[in-house]
Amino acid sequence: MKILNIVGARPNFMKMAPIIEAMNQYPDQIQHLLVHTGQHYDEKMSKAFFDDLGMPKPDIDLEVGSGSHAEQTARIMVEFEKVCLREKPDLVIVVGDVNSTMACTITAKKLGIKVAHVEAGLRSRDMNMPEEINRLCTDVLCDYLFTTDRIADENLKGEGVAEEKIFFVGNVMIDTLLKHKAMAEQLPLRETLGLAPDGYATLTLHRPSNVDDPQVLQGILDALAEIAGRLPILFPIHPRTRKMIQQFGFEAYFRTGERIAGPGIWLTDPLGYLEFLHLNMTARLVLTDSGGLQEETTVLGVPCITLRHNTERPITCEEGTNILVGNHKEKILAAAQTVLNRPGRAGRIPEKWDGHAAERIVEVLVAREG
Ligand code: UD1
């Protein structure tokens, strides 16, 4: 069985790493190639993750880069079609919900190639999110839908997906987290930055709905500045957010420096996987609009405040440590107050988020296709 594994953007890398490792256990049955679309291309958004995760270098790099959604998606499709025609895979595996996920799915299916989607069935029901469109288009076309929880199974069944295509396997991102936790713990970064366990918050922010409108972004930054008066916030900044902050002239909200000296929102370049895991493990609070971080904090038992009105990962609120607050200043502040005024950590780990999801995926594929 010849498989093309697809990655494109930062959140894909930690999902694909354990799948590749699990495939390597079947050298007689599986031949696999890693395709990087090049959606993310900055050293700190891409290569650093390959190094951290011990991933093999991509066999094929499409180098598509940034652009409008149509441009980026179209470029990936044109380049990936050539790869499919040349390599003639039996199966393509896509992960997550980025433009690369959808573009490669459509391309492969139109050539009659089977596609498996890892992290299928997540739904925010918010069609303003580009990722929701990517999820819907991907899932309707795929032959194998590997899910992280039973809510996703129900979403898919509700959309008419045949039950025999759905496989509840658990969460590959958590495979990676559990594998690297001990290693991340050993890093000296927290001390280098002058941070004490439970003495800081971390922040990620990059959704267009939060960072593209100056009024919305200003409201969020006002709330964060107040929280940062009580607890320093470390903010590894995404390139698109950096661009918007410069465009709107919001630089005064931030501090920079080698060490976190006192209150404030402290900017750093994007961090590597291990560094960020290291910092999140002992954060008092995580503030985010990312998808994956909602799941990682649930497993780490660290309180997470999600600056979005909806989530495609409701299990992190039902069972984990996540609170959805939207992006209005007062709501963000009230949630932070609640979390900071209550001691300890809460939540439980969802079913099958146990470090073995990738093995389950590959077992299914070998049994059915091998
Ligand atoms: C993409 C995903 C999003 C995911 C995020 C994680 C889609 C629709 N969005 O969003 O779901 O949460 O990745 O990071 O696929 N840029 C750089 N260097 C890079 C990559 C991007 O400078 O390596 C800048 C460019 O200005 C680019 C902008 O960031 O135009 C947006 O990049 P893009 O890949 O379109 O989307 P993300 O916002 O990164």
Side-chain angles (χ1 to χ4, degrees):
M1 166 171 42
K2 182 169 183 179
I3 299 181
L4 297 184
N5 291 318
I6 312 297
V7 290
R10 184 170 62 174
N12 293 161
F13 306 134
M14 52 289 235
K15 294 171 193 166
M16 191 54 84
I19 299 174
I20 293 174
E21 207 180 309
M23 283 184 182
N24 286 337
Q25 304 306 312
Y26 297 86
D28 298 335
Q29 285 108 313
I30 300 179
Q31 183 202 351
H32 58 92
L33 292 176
L34 181 59
V35 179
H36 190 337
T37 65
Q39 176 174 348
H40 283 175
Y41 44 87
D42 281 1
E43 165 87 21
K44 290 193 163 114
M45 297 295 285
S46 178
K47 185 171 173 300
F49 282 76
F50 281 75
D51 298 344
D52 267 8
L53 298 168
M55 292 245 282
K57 274 211 190 83
D59 299 289
I60 299 164
D61 198 336
L62 307 181
E63 296 182 347
V64 299
S66 299
S68 72
H69 282 268
E71 282 166 348
Q72 190 175 58
T73 306
R75 258 188 254 138
I76 297 169
M77 290 177 72
V78 169
E79 294 308 314
F80 187 55
E81 184 177 53
K82 294 178 201 164
V83 172
C84 287
L85 291 171
R86 188 176 73 229
E87 298 296 338
K88 302 190 174 35
D90 301 297
L91 180 76
V92 167
I93 300 191
V94 296
V95 296
D97 56 16
V98 300
N99 287 344
S100 304
T101 311
M102 178 186 72
C104 291
T105 300
I106 295 175
T107 308
K109 285 306 294 179
K110 288 216 170 184
L111 292 171
I113 300 163
K114 286 187 184 171
V115 183
H117 184 205
V118 175
E119 208 185 67
L122 299 185
R123 297 289 181 266
S124 67
R125 310 286 174 209
D126 177 359
M127 293 298 267
N128 291 316
M129 280 183 87
E131 294 81 3
E132 185 72 358
I133 298 172
N134 294 341
R135 291 180 202 115
L136 286 162
C137 294
T138 301
D139 285 344
V140 80
L141 293 175
C142 276
D143 301 277
Y144 290 90
L145 297 139
F146 293 110
T147 61
T148 49
D149 61 44
R150 302 211 183 264
I151 306 171
D153 292 9
E154 292 309 313
N155 289 339
L156 292 169
K157 286 181 210 162
E159 289 167 17
V161 175
E163 281 196 36
E164 55 271 22
K165 289 181 170 184
I166 305 171
F167 301 87
F168 170 41
V169 290
N171 193 325
V172 285
M173 213 176 59
I174 302 308
D175 291 4
T176 295
L177 184 149
L178 296 177
K179 182 177 172 200
H180 291 89
K181 213 174 144 198
M183 212 189 297
E185 211 156 19
Q186 302 305 317
L187 295 185
L189 182 62
R190 199 178 52 227
E191 275 167 40
T192 314
L193 290 170
L195 295 169
D198 276 342
Y200 61 95
T202 60
L203 165 71
T204 76
L205 199 65
H206 73 281
R207 296 262 160 232
S209 55
N210 282 336
V211 305
D212 285 4
D213 177 323
Q215 269 177 339
V216 172
L217 183 55
Q218 188 160 24
I220 294 174
L221 292 178
D222 283 339
L224 294 173
E226 252 185 81
I227 298 166
R230 187 163 165 191
L231 191 72
I233 298 179
L234 188 77
F235 182 18
I237 189 166
H238 189 286
R240 69 172 293 139
T241 312
R242 189 182 283 282
K243 217 164 59 179
M244 301 320 282
I245 281 167
Q246 283 163 355
Q247 195 175 316
F248 302 147
F250 287 162
E251 289 91 342
Y253 279 97
F254 304 103
R255 300 182 71 181
T256 51
E258 297 285 296
R259 283 174 73 82
I260 309 301
I265 311 171
W266 292 79
L267 279 191
T268 71
D269 281 337
L271 295 170
Y273 178 77
L274 293 173
E275 289 177 327
F276 199 41
L277 175 57
H278 165 81
L279 292 175
N280 287 332
M281 282 163 84
T282 52
R284 178 70 185 85
L285 167 66
V286 172
L287 297 136
T288 191
D289 62 5
S290 132
L293 208 42
Q294 299 171 52
E295 298 180 340
E296 290 170 333
T297 46
T298 277
V299 171
L300 294 173
V302 172
C304 179
I305 293 182
T306 297
L307 308 181
R308 289 174 44 189
H309 296 290
N310 49 57
T311 179
E312 62 289 336
R313 293 163 162 92
I315 198 163
T316 60
C317 300
E318 288 166 19
E319 298 192 14
T321 58
N322 190 21
I323 315 172
L324 266 190
V325 300
N327 56 13
H328 298 127
K329 182 180 168 189
E330 299 311 325
K331 292 250 174 71
I332 300 169
L333 280 175
Q337 294 278 3
T338 310
V339 169
L340 295 179
N341 289 340
R342 94 181 157 210
R345 303 178 165 179
R348 64 171 187 273
I349 296 175
E351 188 186 354
K352 292 197 192 174
W353 291 21
D354 59 359
H356 300 289
E359 292 157 32
R360 293 185 195 106
I361 289 170
V362 178
E363 274 165 24
V364 168
L365 294 175
V366 168
R368 305 206 166 216
E369 302 281 329

